[in-house]
């Protein structure tokens, strides 16, 4: 394990008062994505975007490695319930999705053979496994497009249904009405 990886894992564990296997995966995916796309941390809005497919400690690991943040609009959570992340080079449009190898849990024991607990086998194995044995990666095409995800600054419209302001071009047109996603039935809540 490199000293850079050790420092990032220390930073990630400080957020949870412990280090877990998903944090290790998050840090390793974040580092692999930066390297593959030639981006430096911390990711800046004009340079990169990270989309994680779940929340929790995994997302914190990715955030620590990449420097991406929701508040800087460089980190998005699109919760599919998967330990996966897509790193995007905003300047080139290239997007690479990273996920654990399907047999990563079984393979981890090869890198921590003296440990008995699955948890600790994964925790230590994920830290020392070569990137190619730990992670799958594939180039992907974003949907919606990168331009739609990033949107245009200062675009604001009023929802015809609830009257709330909608920013970042997230409105939906239904017939002649301009609606927020919640009023269009696409929200995470209903009234």
């Amino acid at each position: 394990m490199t000293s850079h990886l050790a420092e990032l894992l220390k930073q990630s564990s400080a957020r949870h008062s412990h280090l877990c296997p998903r944090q290790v995966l998050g840090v390793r995916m974040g580092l692999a994505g930066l390297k593959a796309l030639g981006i430096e941390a911390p990711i800046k809005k004009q340079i990169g975007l990270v989309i994680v497919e779940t929340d929790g400690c995994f997302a914190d690991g990715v955030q620590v490695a990449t420097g991406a943040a929701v508040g800087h609009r460089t980190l998005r959570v699109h919760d599919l319930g998967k330990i996966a992340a897509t790193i995007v080079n905003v300047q080139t449009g290239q997007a690479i999705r990273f996920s654990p190898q399907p047999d990563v849990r079984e393979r981890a024991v090869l890198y921590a053979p003296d440990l008995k607990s699955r948890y600790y086998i994964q925790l230590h194995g994920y830290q020392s496994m070569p990137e190619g044995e730990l992670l799958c990666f594939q180039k992907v095409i974003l949907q919606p497009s990168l331009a739609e995800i990033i949107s245009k600054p200062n675009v604001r419209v009023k929802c015809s249904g609830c009257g709330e302001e909608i920013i970042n071009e997230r409105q939906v047109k239904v017939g002649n009405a301009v609606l927020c996603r919640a009023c269009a039935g696409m929200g995470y809540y209903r009234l």
Side-chain angles (χ1 to χ4, degrees):
M1 177 170 48
T2 68
S3 61
H4 182 59
L5 176 59
E7 178 56 34
L8 292 173
L9 293 175
K10 182 178 174 184
Q11 289 175 30
S12 187
S13 69
R15 294 173 180 229
H16 293 279
S17 73
H18 71 284
L19 183 64
C20 71
R22 288 184 182 163
Q23 288 170 285
V24 176
L25 286 170
V27 169
R28 297 280 314 266
M29 279 186 208
L31 291 173
L34 293 174
K35 183 175 80 175
L37 292 168
I39 299 173
E40 292 184 17
I43 286 180
K44 298 192 176 18
K45 186 167 56 172
Q46 305 83 350
I47 306 294
L49 174 68
V50 178
I51 304 166
V52 292
E53 296 182 19
T54 192
D55 55 12
C57 50
F58 166 74
D60 281 345
V62 172
Q63 186 175 10
V64 165
T66 63
V70 172
H72 291 257
R73 301 194 73 217
T74 54
L75 178 67
R76 306 290 172 100
V77 178
H78 190 86
D79 196 350
L80 300 176
K82 294 183 176 186
I83 305 299
T86 298
I87 316 289
V88 184
N89 183 320
V90 171
Q91 294 177 331
T92 66
Q94 185 179 19
I96 302 176
R97 182 178 182 270
F98 294 84
S99 61
Q101 289 282 356
D103 61 347
V104 71
R105 288 188 178 115
E106 294 79 19
R107 239 186 249 192
V109 75
L110 300 173
Y111 296 89
D114 299 331
L115 300 174
K116 301 295 179 216
S117 162
R118 258 184 349 167
Y119 179 88
Y120 288 107
I121 289 170
Q122 292 167 16
L123 179 65
H124 294 285
Y126 295 170
Q127 292 177 50
S128 56
M129 292 175 79
E131 193 176 278
E133 287 187 51
L134 181 67
L135 304 174
C136 293
F137 64 93
Q138 59 194 136
K139 291 181 180 180
V140 295
I141 298 169
L142 298 177
Q143 188 174 340
S145 71
L146 180 59
E148 291 172 296
I149 291 171
I150 293 174
S151 75
K152 295 177 189 140
N154 301 316
V155 175
R156 293 174 173 84
V157 297
K158 187 174 180 179
C159 176
S160 302
C162 66
E164 292 180 1
E165 182 179 76
I166 309 161
I167 63 172
N168 300 327
E169 299 182 300
R170 300 301 187 251
Q171 69 271 12
V172 177
K173 195 158 186 178
V174 178
N176 290 330
V178 174
L179 300 173
C180 68
R181 291 175 188 250
C183 288
M186 300 164 54
Y188 68 92
Y189 66 90
R190 87 177 172 213
L191 300 174

